Amino acid sequence: MITITPGPIGLATGSLASLHGFGRTIPLLAGIGVGTAVLATLVAFGTIHLAQSLSMPAVKIAGATVLGGMALRIARTAPPATGEAPHKRQTELFAGGFLISFLSPEAATFFAVAFLGLMLPIQNSSEVLMVAAVVAIFDIGWYGFLAIVLSRPVVRAAAMRRHRAISRAAGAVLAILALVWALSAFPST
C-alpha cells in the first residue's frame, strides 16, 4: 500500500518519465529499489531500537531538506534536450532515487510496524534479505509501470507542450510535502 500511495517517489518518477522518457528513469528506478532495500534491511535489523536514541526531528528535517532541494530543481528544470543523458546526470538520478526512498518517513514507519511483528515477524537474517529484495522488486515494478505509462508518446508530447506548468506544479507539490515533513518534526502544543 505504501508504494502505490501517491507521494514524492511517484511524483519524481512520473515527472521524469513523462518529460524525458522511460530510458531516462532507469537510474532513478534503480536508486529507488536500492534505497528501499537498504531502508527495509536497516529497519528489520533493529534500527527501530536505535531510533529511540536518534533525534527524529533532525531525521525529518534532513528528509525535508532533500525533498525541498528536489522541489527547487524540478521547478527550475529547463525543457529537456533530445539525446542521452550524460553519465553524471544518471548518477545524480540514481542518488536522488536512493535518497528519496531511503529518507521516506512513510516507508520507514511502515517497515517499523511490519517488522515489529504486527504484520510480518522476521525470524532470521535470510528472511530480512528476502523481504528487502521483494520490497525493492515491487517498488521497481510499480514505479517502472508508472514510468512506462507516463512515457507514452501521446503523454510525453502533452508534457513537452506544458513543460513549464508541469515542472512548477511538481516542484510546488514537492515543496509542500517538504514543508509538511519539516513541520512534523516539531510536535504541536
Side-chain angles (χ1 to χ4, degrees):
M1 289 305 292
I2 205 75
T3 298
I4 63 172
T5 302
I9 300 171
L11 186 60
T13 303
S15 297
L16 187 64
S18 64
L19 294 174
H20 298 280
F22 177 73
R24 297 273 303 264
T25 63
I26 293 172
L28 181 75
L29 293 171
I32 290 167
V34 172
T36 300
V38 169
L39 177 63
T41 301
L42 290 176
V43 171
F45 276 131
T47 55
I48 194 62
H49 300 294
L50 179 62
Q52 295 171 354
S53 64
L54 293 176
S55 168
M56 290 315 287
V59 170
K60 288 182 178 183
I61 294 295
T65 301
V66 169
L67 195 55
M70 289 182 72
L72 185 60
R73 176 180 266 170
I74 287 173
R76 295 174 42 189
T77 300
T82 57
E84 289 298 311
H87 180 69
K88 181 180 176 188
R89 181 71 177 139
Q90 292 175 357
T91 303
E92 290 174 8
L93 287 172
F94 178 87
F98 178 88
L99 288 173
I100 199 168
S101 63
F102 182 75
L103 295 175
S104 170
E106 290 89 359
T109 303
F110 172 79
F111 291 137
V113 169
F115 293 137
L116 283 173
L118 297 177
M119 295 169 28
L120 187 64
I122 298 295
Q123 303 292 323
N124 57 49
S125 297
S126 63
E127 288 181 2
V128 168
L129 297 176
M130 181 181 67
V131 168
V134 167
V135 169
I137 290 167
F138 185 77
D139 267 12
I140 291 170
W142 171 252
Y143 294 118
F145 170 76
L146 183 66
I148 289 170
V149 169
L150 294 176
S151 67
R152 304 301 305 160
V154 172
V155 175
R156 286 190 72 202
M160 296 299 274
R161 285 190 304 273
R162 293 171 181 83
H163 171 76
R164 179 172 283 156
I166 290 169
S167 294
R168 288 183 178 161
V173 169
L174 284 175
I176 290 168
L177 288 172
L179 181 62
V180 168
W181 284 0
L183 291 176
S184 74
F186 306 102
S188 60
T189 54

